[in-house]
Amino acid sequence: MSPTAPLGALGRAVLAVLALFGRVTLFAVDAIGHIFRPPFYPREFGLALLNVGWLSLPVVGLTAIFTGGALALQIYSGGARFNAEAVVPQIVAIGMVRELGPVLVGLMIAARVTSSIAAEIATMKVTEQIDALVTLSTHPMKYLVAPRVLAALLTVPALVAVGDVIGIAGGYVVAVERLGFNPATYLKNTVDFLEMRDIVSSLVKGAAFGTIAAVMGCYFGMQSGRGAQGVGRATKGSVEAAAVLILAANFLLTGLFFSL
């Protein structure tokens, strides 16, 4: 084997990743462009709102409340080593709003919505329904992709806001009922500690994560291979890509908002 073979393999892998990133970027720009150009499909948009927003509330709420409660217990346990148990309300609030709320909601949306979108569109491709849309002079990007991307862009920030509130409420219940905190003092410390940029950053992250989740589901669904195996690969690849990109976007957005 040539001594440069490992470098060649690494180079091909890097080029493949960059090419994929370029294709996804062009796909996302095209999808966002179709959001603002007629014709519009309000029924598809309404169904996407229902799927992405309302039907995701249970899993978002349960994830947030248990995370907030566990976070309160962990902070209290760690703070007790330094006689700093009183910081529980502040750290729960900032942890949920800045990081855990948006990231957990984004990952839940990636698991639930991205996989659903990818499987649905990939199945439509396998059964030639997308070809039928083209035959009927209906643009697949406008009919299938744009409504789902717009729905995720609008609803995921709302889900993040709900998740933040429920997570803080979970920490409040644990702190008051189990750790002996005064309810009024806990709420006052929570409200006083949060800043407007914390809330804004949480909502902006929600919009970014929702867009990423929807675009990944649509992209991998549209690029699916034929047959059941192709649908499975598209679904798996969409969730993996969405999760990684959400975590990467979280790092970049956190640096943008809080490192200035």
Side-chain angles (χ1 to χ4, degrees):
M1 184 176 67
S2 170
T4 60
L7 290 177
L10 177 62
R12 286 191 294 272
V14 171
L15 289 175
V17 170
L18 291 176
L20 175 61
F21 183 77
R23 291 194 298 270
V24 171
T25 301
L26 293 175
F27 182 88
V29 170
D30 191 25
I32 293 172
H34 279 290
I35 291 175
F36 303 102
R37 297 197 300 269
F40 304 111
Y41 297 95
R43 182 178 180 276
E44 290 298 312
F45 175 63
L47 291 174
L49 281 178
L50 180 67
N51 182 44
V52 177
W54 179 253
L55 296 180
S56 297
L57 274 176
V59 67
V60 167
L62 289 172
T63 301
I65 195 167
F66 288 126
T67 301
L71 186 61
L73 290 174
Q74 291 282 13
I75 295 167
Y76 185 85
S77 175
R81 302 178 186 178
F82 309 100
N83 295 320
E85 300 94 329
V87 301
V88 169
Q90 294 92 327
I91 303 302
V92 168
I94 197 170
M96 286 303 304
V97 174
R98 282 192 179 187
E99 286 296 319
L100 289 177
V103 171
L104 288 175
V105 170
L107 293 177
M108 289 301 103
I109 293 298
R112 184 188 174 278
V113 176
T114 303
S115 59
S116 173
I117 292 174
E120 181 182 2
I121 295 179
T123 302
M124 292 180 70
K125 183 175 181 180
V126 168
T127 56
E128 300 182 348
Q129 294 180 57
I130 294 180
D131 295 335
L133 288 175
V134 175
T135 302
L136 295 171
S137 300
T138 301
H139 200 302
M141 289 290 290
K142 187 166 290 296
Y143 185 79
L144 296 175
V145 177
R148 289 164 172 80
V149 173
L150 180 59
L153 174 64
L154 296 178
T155 56
V156 174
L159 289 173
V160 168
V162 171
D164 291 344
V165 172
I166 293 176
I168 291 172
Y172 168 84
V173 170
V174 169
V176 171
E177 297 297 329
R178 181 168 177 179
L179 304 178
F181 279 75
N182 179 273
T185 303
Y186 189 100
L187 290 176
K188 184 177 186 304
N189 288 338
T190 297
V191 173
D192 290 345
F193 193 73
L194 284 176
E195 298 178 355
M196 182 55 65
R197 69 171 180 168
D198 299 328
I199 299 171
V200 170
S201 73
S202 187
L203 299 179
V204 170
K205 285 183 177 183
F209 299 165
T211 303
I212 289 171
V215 168
M216 290 299 101
C218 294
Y219 175 79
F220 279 88
M222 297 288 281
Q223 301 298 319
S224 168
R226 299 290 181 177
Q229 199 171 34
V231 175
R233 287 201 198 97
T235 305
K236 180 181 70 174
S238 68
V239 175
E240 292 173 346
V244 171
L245 288 176
I246 284 170
L247 294 174
N250 178 64
F251 172 76
L252 295 175
L253 290 172
T254 298
L256 177 65
F257 275 103
F258 302 111
S259 299
L260 300 179

